[in-house]
mmCIF file with all atom_site columns, all heavy atoms in Angstrom:
data_model
loop_
_atom_site.group_PDB
_atom_site.id
_atom_site.type_symbol
_atom_site.label_atom_id
_atom_site.label_alt_id
_atom_site.label_comp_id
_atom_site.label_asym_id
_atom_site.label_entity_id
_atom_site.label_seq_id
_atom_site.pdbx_PDB_ins_code
_atom_site.Cartn_x
_atom_site.Cartn_y
_atom_site.Cartn_z
_atom_site.occupancy
_atom_site.B_iso_or_equiv
_atom_site.pdbx_formal_charge
_atom_site.auth_seq_id
_atom_site.auth_comp_id
_atom_site.auth_asym_id
_atom_site.auth_atom_id
_atom_site.pdbx_PDB_model_num
ATOM 1   N N   . ALA T 1 1  ? 0.850  -1.167 0.022   1.00 0.00 ? 7  ALA T N   1
ATOM 2   C CA  . ALA T 1 1  ? 0.049  -0.009 -0.001  1.00 0.00 ? 7  ALA T CA  1
ATOM 3   C C   . ALA T 1 1  ? 0.830  1.265  -0.015  1.00 0.00 ? 7  ALA T C   1
ATOM 4   O O   . ALA T 1 1  ? 0.532  2.207  -0.684  1.00 0.00 ? 7  ALA T O   1
ATOM 5   C CB  . ALA T 1 1  ? -0.917 -0.021 1.209   1.00 0.00 ? 7  ALA T CB  1
ATOM 6   N N   . SER T 1 2  ? 1.945  1.210  0.744   1.00 0.00 ? 8  SER T N   1
ATOM 7   C CA  . SER T 1 2  ? 2.853  2.315  0.863   1.00 0.00 ? 8  SER T CA  1
ATOM 8   C C   . SER T 1 2  ? 3.468  2.636  -0.551  1.00 0.00 ? 8  SER T C   1
ATOM 9   O O   . SER T 1 2  ? 3.575  3.762  -0.953  1.00 0.00 ? 8  SER T O   1
ATOM 10  C CB  . SER T 1 2  ? 3.910  2.152  1.888   1.00 0.00 ? 8  SER T CB  1
ATOM 11  O OG  . SER T 1 2  ? 3.292  1.981  3.141   1.00 0.00 ? 8  SER T OG  1
ATOM 12  N N   . ALA T 1 3  ? 3.838  1.519  -1.182  1.00 0.00 ? 9  ALA T N   1
ATOM 13  C CA  . ALA T 1 3  ? 4.468  1.691  -2.512  1.00 0.00 ? 9  ALA T CA  1
ATOM 14  C C   . ALA T 1 3  ? 3.533  2.230  -3.535  1.00 0.00 ? 9  ALA T C   1
ATOM 15  O O   . ALA T 1 3  ? 3.845  2.938  -4.435  1.00 0.00 ? 9  ALA T O   1
ATOM 16  C CB  . ALA T 1 3  ? 5.077  0.377  -2.933  1.00 0.00 ? 9  ALA T CB  1
ATOM 17  N N   . THR T 1 4  ? 2.229  1.800  -3.411  1.00 0.00 ? 10 THR T N   1
ATOM 18  C CA  . THR T 1 4  ? 1.213  2.184  -4.385  1.00 0.00 ? 10 THR T CA  1
ATOM 19  C C   . THR T 1 4  ? 0.969  3.728  -4.306  1.00 0.00 ? 10 THR T C   1
ATOM 20  O O   . THR T 1 4  ? 0.822  4.401  -5.318  1.00 0.00 ? 10 THR T O   1
ATOM 21  C CB  . THR T 1 4  ? -0.111 1.455  -4.147  1.00 0.00 ? 10 THR T CB  1
ATOM 22  O OG1 . THR T 1 4  ? 0.129  0.124  -4.183  1.00 0.00 ? 10 THR T OG1 1
ATOM 23  C CG2 . THR T 1 4  ? -1.161 1.889  -5.161  1.00 0.00 ? 10 THR T CG2 1
ATOM 24  N N   . HIS T 1 5  ? 0.918  4.309  -3.058  1.00 0.00 ? 11 HIS T N   1
ATOM 25  C CA  . HIS T 1 5  ? 0.621  5.706  -2.879  1.00 0.00 ? 11 HIS T CA  1
ATOM 26  C C   . HIS T 1 5  ? 1.826  6.595  -2.863  1.00 0.00 ? 11 HIS T C   1
ATOM 27  O O   . HIS T 1 5  ? 1.699  7.779  -2.679  1.00 0.00 ? 11 HIS T O   1
ATOM 28  C CB  . HIS T 1 5  ? -0.227 5.910  -1.599  1.00 0.00 ? 11 HIS T CB  1
ATOM 29  C CG  . HIS T 1 5  ? -1.556 5.159  -1.647  1.00 0.00 ? 11 HIS T CG  1
ATOM 30  N ND1 . HIS T 1 5  ? -2.609 5.733  -2.382  1.00 0.00 ? 11 HIS T ND1 1
ATOM 31  C CD2 . HIS T 1 5  ? -2.004 4.066  -1.099  1.00 0.00 ? 11 HIS T CD2 1
ATOM 32  C CE1 . HIS T 1 5  ? -3.712 4.907  -2.274  1.00 0.00 ? 11 HIS T CE1 1
ATOM 33  N NE2 . HIS T 1 5  ? -3.284 3.881  -1.494  1.00 0.00 ? 11 HIS T NE2 1
ATOM 34  N N   . ALA T 1 6  ? 2.984  6.019  -2.972  1.00 0.00 ? 12 ALA T N   1
ATOM 35  C CA  . ALA T 1 6  ? 4.209  6.788  -2.874  1.00 0.00 ? 12 ALA T CA  1
ATOM 36  C C   . ALA T 1 6  ? 4.316  7.636  -4.157  1.00 0.00 ? 12 ALA T C   1
ATOM 37  O O   . ALA T 1 6  ? 4.060  7.196  -5.224  1.00 0.00 ? 12 ALA T O   1
ATOM 38  C CB  . ALA T 1 6  ? 5.401  5.925  -2.697  1.00 0.00 ? 12 ALA T CB  1
ATOM 39  N N   . PRO T 1 7  ? 4.737  8.947  -4.036  1.00 0.00 ? 13 PRO T N   1
ATOM 40  C CA  . PRO T 1 7  ? 4.949  9.787  -5.213  1.00 0.00 ? 13 PRO T CA  1
ATOM 41  C C   . PRO T 1 7  ? 6.073  9.213  -6.109  1.00 0.00 ? 13 PRO T C   1
ATOM 42  O O   . PRO T 1 7  ? 7.082  8.699  -5.541  1.00 0.00 ? 13 PRO T O   1
ATOM 43  C CB  . PRO T 1 7  ? 5.261  11.124 -4.671  1.00 0.00 ? 13 PRO T CB  1
ATOM 44  C CG  . PRO T 1 7  ? 5.226  11.030 -3.180  1.00 0.00 ? 13 PRO T CG  1
ATOM 45  C CD  . PRO T 1 7  ? 5.036  9.644  -2.807  1.00 0.00 ? 13 PRO T CD  1
ATOM 46  N N   . GLY T 1 8  ? 5.913  9.339  -7.375  1.00 0.00 ? 14 GLY T N   1
ATOM 47  C CA  . GLY T 1 8  ? 6.989  8.921  -8.287  1.00 0.00 ? 14 GLY T CA  1
ATOM 48  C C   . GLY T 1 8  ? 6.813  7.486  -8.795  1.00 0.00 ? 14 GLY T C   1
ATOM 49  O O   . GLY T 1 8  ? 7.547  7.081  -9.635  1.00 0.00 ? 14 GLY T O   1
ATOM 50  N N   . VAL T 1 9  ? 5.861  6.758  -8.236  1.00 0.00 ? 15 VAL T N   1
ATOM 51  C CA  . VAL T 1 9  ? 5.646  5.433  -8.658  1.00 0.00 ? 15 VAL T CA  1
ATOM 52  C C   . VAL T 1 9  ? 4.441  5.378  -9.595  1.00 0.00 ? 15 VAL T C   1
ATOM 53  O O   . VAL T 1 9  ? 3.318  5.539  -9.162  1.00 0.00 ? 15 VAL T O   1
ATOM 54  C CB  . VAL T 1 9  ? 5.405  4.482  -7.507  1.00 0.00 ? 15 VAL T CB  1
ATOM 55  C CG1 . VAL T 1 9  ? 5.148  3.004  -7.995  1.00 0.00 ? 15 VAL T CG1 1
ATOM 56  C CG2 . VAL T 1 9  ? 6.611  4.523  -6.553  1.00 0.00 ? 15 VAL T CG2 1
ATOM 57  N N   . GLY T 1 10 ? 4.683  5.211  -10.939 1.00 0.00 ? 16 GLY T N   1
ATOM 58  C CA  . GLY T 1 10 ? 3.592  5.143  -11.902 1.00 0.00 ? 16 GLY T CA  1
ATOM 59  C C   . GLY T 1 10 ? 3.040  6.452  -12.385 1.00 0.00 ? 16 GLY T C   1
ATOM 60  O O   . GLY T 1 10 ? 2.153  6.470  -13.236 1.00 0.00 ? 16 GLY T O   1
ATOM 61  N N   . GLN T 1 11 ? 3.495  7.611  -11.794 1.00 0.00 ? 17 GLN T N   1
ATOM 62  C CA  . GLN T 1 11 ? 2.986  8.949  -12.231 1.00 0.00 ? 17 GLN T CA  1
ATOM 63  C C   . GLN T 1 11 ? 4.020  9.987  -11.904 1.00 0.00 ? 17 GLN T C   1
ATOM 64  O O   . GLN T 1 11 ? 4.818  9.816  -10.963 1.00 0.00 ? 17 GLN T O   1
ATOM 65  C CB  . GLN T 1 11 ? 1.658  9.300  -11.505 1.00 0.00 ? 17 GLN T CB  1
ATOM 66  C CG  . GLN T 1 11 ? 1.792  9.258  -10.019 1.00 0.00 ? 17 GLN T CG  1
ATOM 67  C CD  . GLN T 1 11 ? 0.488  9.561  -9.323  1.00 0.00 ? 17 GLN T CD  1
ATOM 68  O OE1 . GLN T 1 11 ? -0.537 9.920  -9.975  1.00 0.00 ? 17 GLN T OE1 1
ATOM 69  N NE2 . GLN T 1 11 ? 0.421  9.482  -8.000  1.00 0.00 ? 17 GLN T NE2 1
ATOM 70  N N   . PRO T 1 12 ? 4.021  11.133 -12.663 1.00 0.00 ? 18 PRO T N   1
ATOM 71  C CA  . PRO T 1 12 ? 5.002  12.169 -12.410 1.00 0.00 ? 18 PRO T CA  1
ATOM 72  C C   . PRO T 1 12 ? 4.796  12.799 -11.089 1.00 0.00 ? 18 PRO T C   1
ATOM 73  O O   . PRO T 1 12 ? 3.630  12.857 -10.593 1.00 0.00 ? 18 PRO T O   1
ATOM 74  C CB  . PRO T 1 12 ? 4.747  13.150 -13.543 1.00 0.00 ? 18 PRO T CB  1
ATOM 75  C CG  . PRO T 1 12 ? 3.992  12.466 -14.554 1.00 0.00 ? 18 PRO T CG  1
ATOM 76  C CD  . PRO T 1 12 ? 3.130  11.442 -13.816 1.00 0.00 ? 18 PRO T CD  1
ATOM 77  N N   . SER T 1 13 ? 5.818  13.248 -10.487 1.00 0.00 ? 19 SER T N   1
ATOM 78  C CA  . SER T 1 13 ? 5.694  13.924 -9.185  1.00 0.00 ? 19 SER T CA  1
ATOM 79  C C   . SER T 1 13 ? 5.134  15.288 -9.353  1.00 0.00 ? 19 SER T C   1
ATOM 80  O O   . SER T 1 13 ? 5.193  15.889 -10.424 1.00 0.00 ? 19 SER T O   1
ATOM 81  C CB  . SER T 1 13 ? 7.108  14.052 -8.522  1.00 0.00 ? 19 SER T CB  1
ATOM 82  O OG  . SER T 1 13 ? 7.884  14.883 -9.314  1.00 0.00 ? 19 SER T OG  1
ATOM 83  N N   . PRO T 1 14 ? 4.487  15.831 -8.324  1.00 0.00 ? 20 PRO T N   1
ATOM 84  C CA  . PRO T 1 14 ? 3.903  17.250 -8.404  1.00 0.00 ? 20 PRO T CA  1
ATOM 85  C C   . PRO T 1 14 ? 4.935  18.268 -8.888  1.00 0.00 ? 20 PRO T C   1
ATOM 86  O O   . PRO T 1 14 ? 4.581  19.188 -9.520  1.00 0.00 ? 20 PRO T O   1
ATOM 87  C CB  . PRO T 1 14 ? 3.349  17.493 -7.028  1.00 0.00 ? 20 PRO T CB  1
ATOM 88  C CG  . PRO T 1 14 ? 3.147  16.145 -6.439  1.00 0.00 ? 20 PRO T CG  1
ATOM 89  C CD  . PRO T 1 14 ? 4.167  15.251 -6.995  1.00 0.00 ? 20 PRO T CD  1
ATOM 90  N N   . SER T 1 15 ? 6.192  18.093 -8.467  1.00 0.00 ? 21 SER T N   1
ATOM 91  C CA  . SER T 1 15 ? 7.170  19.079 -8.819  1.00 0.00 ? 21 SER T CA  1
ATOM 92  C C   . SER T 1 15 ? 7.437  19.088 -10.330 1.00 0.00 ? 21 SER T C   1
ATOM 93  O O   . SER T 1 15 ? 7.865  20.100 -10.868 1.00 0.00 ? 21 SER T O   1
ATOM 94  C CB  . SER T 1 15 ? 8.490  18.827 -8.052  1.00 0.00 ? 21 SER T CB  1
ATOM 95  O OG  . SER T 1 15 ? 8.928  17.486 -8.373  1.00 0.00 ? 21 SER T OG  1
ATOM 96  N N   . VAL T 1 16 ? 7.224  17.990 -10.984 1.00 0.00 ? 22 VAL T N   1
ATOM 97  C CA  . VAL T 1 16 ? 7.376  17.909 -12.449 1.00 0.00 ? 22 VAL T CA  1
ATOM 98  C C   . VAL T 1 16 ? 6.101  18.398 -13.112 1.00 0.00 ? 22 VAL T C   1
ATOM 99  O O   . VAL T 1 16 ? 6.174  19.070 -14.225 1.00 0.00 ? 22 VAL T O   1
ATOM 100 C CB  . VAL T 1 16 ? 7.683  16.468 -12.858 1.00 0.00 ? 22 VAL T CB  1
ATOM 101 C CG1 . VAL T 1 16 ? 7.781  16.357 -14.420 1.00 0.00 ? 22 VAL T CG1 1
ATOM 102 C CG2 . VAL T 1 16 ? 8.975  16.001 -12.253 1.00 0.00 ? 22 VAL T CG2 1
ATOM 103 N N   . GLN T 1 17 ? 4.848  18.117 -12.650 1.00 0.00 ? 23 GLN T N   1
ATOM 104 C CA  . GLN T 1 17 ? 3.651  18.536 -13.287 1.00 0.00 ? 23 GLN T CA  1
ATOM 105 C C   . GLN T 1 17 ? 3.451  20.062 -13.236 1.00 0.00 ? 23 GLN T C   1
ATOM 106 O O   . GLN T 1 17 ? 2.986  20.663 -14.164 1.00 0.00 ? 23 GLN T O   1
ATOM 107 C CB  . GLN T 1 17 ? 2.512  17.834 -12.558 1.00 0.00 ? 23 GLN T CB  1
ATOM 108 C CG  . GLN T 1 17 ? 2.350  16.343 -12.844 1.00 0.00 ? 23 GLN T CG  1
ATOM 109 C CD  . GLN T 1 17 ? 1.178  15.736 -12.120 1.00 0.00 ? 23 GLN T CD  1
ATOM 110 O OE1 . GLN T 1 17 ? 0.888  16.196 -10.988 1.00 0.00 ? 23 GLN T OE1 1
ATOM 111 N NE2 . GLN T 1 17 ? 0.536  14.798 -12.739 1.00 0.00 ? 23 GLN T NE2 1
ATOM 112 N N   . GLU T 1 18 ? 3.806  20.699 -12.166 1.00 0.00 ? 24 GLU T N   1
ATOM 113 C CA  . GLU T 1 18 ? 3.528  22.119 -12.008 1.00 0.00 ? 24 GLU T CA  1
ATOM 114 C C   . GLU T 1 18 ? 4.171  22.967 -13.051 1.00 0.00 ? 24 GLU T C   1
ATOM 115 O O   . GLU T 1 18 ? 3.567  23.834 -13.708 1.00 0.00 ? 24 GLU T O   1
ATOM 116 C CB  . GLU T 1 18 ? 3.824  22.570 -10.609 1.00 0.00 ? 24 GLU T CB  1
ATOM 117 C CG  . GLU T 1 18 ? 2.878  21.992 -9.558  1.00 0.00 ? 24 GLU T CG  1
ATOM 118 C CD  . GLU T 1 18 ? 3.287  22.394 -8.145  1.00 0.00 ? 24 GLU T CD  1
ATOM 119 O OE1 . GLU T 1 18 ? 4.306  23.151 -8.019  1.00 0.00 ? 24 GLU T OE1 1
ATOM 120 O OE2 . GLU T 1 18 ? 2.585  21.992 -7.217  1.00 0.00 ? 24 GLU T OE2 1
ATOM 121 N N   . PRO T 1 19 ? 5.480  22.834 -13.330 1.00 0.00 ? 25 PRO T N   1
ATOM 122 C CA  . PRO T 1 19 ? 6.120  23.663 -14.413 1.00 0.00 ? 25 PRO T CA  1
ATOM 123 C C   . PRO T 1 19 ? 5.538  23.382 -15.768 1.00 0.00 ? 25 PRO T C   1
ATOM 124 O O   . PRO T 1 19 ? 5.330  24.281 -16.594 1.00 0.00 ? 25 PRO T O   1
ATOM 125 C CB  . PRO T 1 19 ? 7.558  23.250 -14.352 1.00 0.00 ? 25 PRO T CB  1
ATOM 126 C CG  . PRO T 1 19 ? 7.780  22.694 -13.008 1.00 0.00 ? 25 PRO T CG  1
ATOM 127 C CD  . PRO T 1 19 ? 6.508  22.002 -12.617 1.00 0.00 ? 25 PRO T CD  1
ATOM 128 N N   . ALA T 1 20 ? 5.082  22.117 -16.061 1.00 0.00 ? 26 ALA T N   1
ATOM 129 C CA  . ALA T 1 20 ? 4.484  21.836 -17.358 1.00 0.00 ? 26 ALA T CA  1
ATOM 130 C C   . ALA T 1 20 ? 3.140  22.529 -17.469 1.00 0.00 ? 26 ALA T C   1
ATOM 131 O O   . ALA T 1 20 ? 2.830  23.125 -18.541 1.00 0.00 ? 26 ALA T O   1
ATOM 132 C CB  . ALA T 1 20 ? 4.363  20.285 -17.492 1.00 0.00 ? 26 ALA T CB  1
ATOM 133 N N   . LEU T 1 21 ? 2.350  22.524 -16.429 1.00 0.00 ? 27 LEU T N   1
ATOM 134 C CA  . LEU T 1 21 ? 1.086  23.205 -16.444 1.00 0.00 ? 27 LEU T CA  1
ATOM 135 C C   . LEU T 1 21 ? 1.219  24.701 -16.523 1.00 0.00 ? 27 LEU T C   1
ATOM 136 O O   . LEU T 1 21 ? 0.532  25.353 -17.213 1.00 0.00 ? 27 LEU T O   1
ATOM 137 C CB  . LEU T 1 21 ? 0.252  22.855 -15.110 1.00 0.00 ? 27 LEU T CB  1
ATOM 138 C CG  . LEU T 1 21 ? -0.222 21.407 -15.030 1.00 0.00 ? 27 LEU T CG  1
ATOM 139 C CD1 . LEU T 1 21 ? -0.865 21.215 -13.682 1.00 0.00 ? 27 LEU T CD1 1
ATOM 140 C CD2 . LEU T 1 21 ? -1.257 21.109 -16.164 1.00 0.00 ? 27 LEU T CD2 1
ATOM 141 N N   . ALA T 1 22 ? 2.257  25.230 -15.886 1.00 0.00 ? 28 ALA T N   1
ATOM 142 C CA  . ALA T 1 22 ? 2.581  26.653 -15.956 1.00 0.00 ? 28 ALA T CA  1
ATOM 143 C C   . ALA T 1 22 ? 2.952  27.057 -17.389 1.00 0.00 ? 28 ALA T C   1
ATOM 144 O O   . ALA T 1 22 ? 2.485  28.075 -17.888 1.00 0.00 ? 28 ALA T O   1
ATOM 145 C CB  . ALA T 1 22 ? 3.640  27.052 -14.944 1.00 0.00 ? 28 ALA T CB  1
ATOM 146 N N   . ARG T 1 23 ? 3.756  26.259 -18.038 1.00 0.00 ? 29 ARG T N   1
ATOM 147 C CA  . ARG T 1 23 ? 4.184  26.513 -19.389 1.00 0.00 ? 29 ARG T CA  1
ATOM 148 C C   . ARG T 1 23 ? 2.964  26.475 -20.330 1.00 0.00 ? 29 ARG T C   1
ATOM 149 O O   . ARG T 1 23 ? 2.807  27.333 -21.217 1.00 0.00 ? 29 ARG T O   1
ATOM 150 C CB  . ARG T 1 23 ? 5.226  25.583 -19.840 1.00 0.00 ? 29 ARG T CB  1
ATOM 151 C CG  . ARG T 1 23 ? 6.648  25.840 -19.222 1.00 0.00 ? 29 ARG T CG  1
ATOM 152 C CD  . ARG T 1 23 ? 7.687  25.093 -19.988 1.00 0.00 ? 29 ARG T CD  1
ATOM 153 N NE  . ARG T 1 23 ? 7.506  23.650 -19.904 1.00 0.00 ? 29 ARG T NE  1
ATOM 154 C CZ  . ARG T 1 23 ? 7.987  22.853 -18.996 1.00 0.00 ? 29 ARG T CZ  1
ATOM 155 N NH1 . ARG T 1 23 ? 8.706  23.399 -17.975 1.00 0.00 ? 29 ARG T NH1 1
ATOM 156 N NH2 . ARG T 1 23 ? 7.745  21.565 -19.047 1.00 0.00 ? 29 ARG T NH2 1
ATOM 157 N N   . ARG T 1 24 ? 2.131  25.461 -20.084 1.00 0.00 ? 30 ARG T N   1
ATOM 158 C CA  . ARG T 1 24 ? 0.897  25.304 -20.895 1.00 0.00 ? 30 ARG T CA  1
ATOM 159 C C   . ARG T 1 24 ? 0.010  26.562 -20.757 1.00 0.00 ? 30 ARG T C   1
ATOM 160 O O   . ARG T 1 24 ? -0.603 27.043 -21.679 1.00 0.00 ? 30 ARG T O   1
ATOM 161 C CB  . ARG T 1 24 ? 0.242  24.032 -20.639 1.00 0.00 ? 30 ARG T CB  1
ATOM 162 C CG  . ARG T 1 24 ? -0.699 23.538 -21.732 1.00 0.00 ? 30 ARG T CG  1
ATOM 163 C CD  . ARG T 1 24 ? -1.287 22.218 -21.350 1.00 0.00 ? 30 ARG T CD  1
ATOM 164 N NE  . ARG T 1 24 ? -0.309 21.302 -20.822 1.00 0.00 ? 30 ARG T NE  1
ATOM 165 C CZ  . ARG T 1 24 ? -0.559 20.248 -20.036 1.00 0.00 ? 30 ARG T CZ  1
ATOM 166 N NH1 . ARG T 1 24 ? -1.827 20.077 -19.657 1.00 0.00 ? 30 ARG T NH1 1
ATOM 167 N NH2 . ARG T 1 24 ? 0.325  19.440 -19.617 1.00 0.00 ? 30 ARG T NH2 1
#
C-alpha cells in the first residue's frame, strides 16, 4: 500500500507537473 501511494511510482511527481502546467 505504501508503494502504491508513494509519489513517483507510476505517475510524475507534483514538482514535475506544475512547471508543465505553468508553461501550458
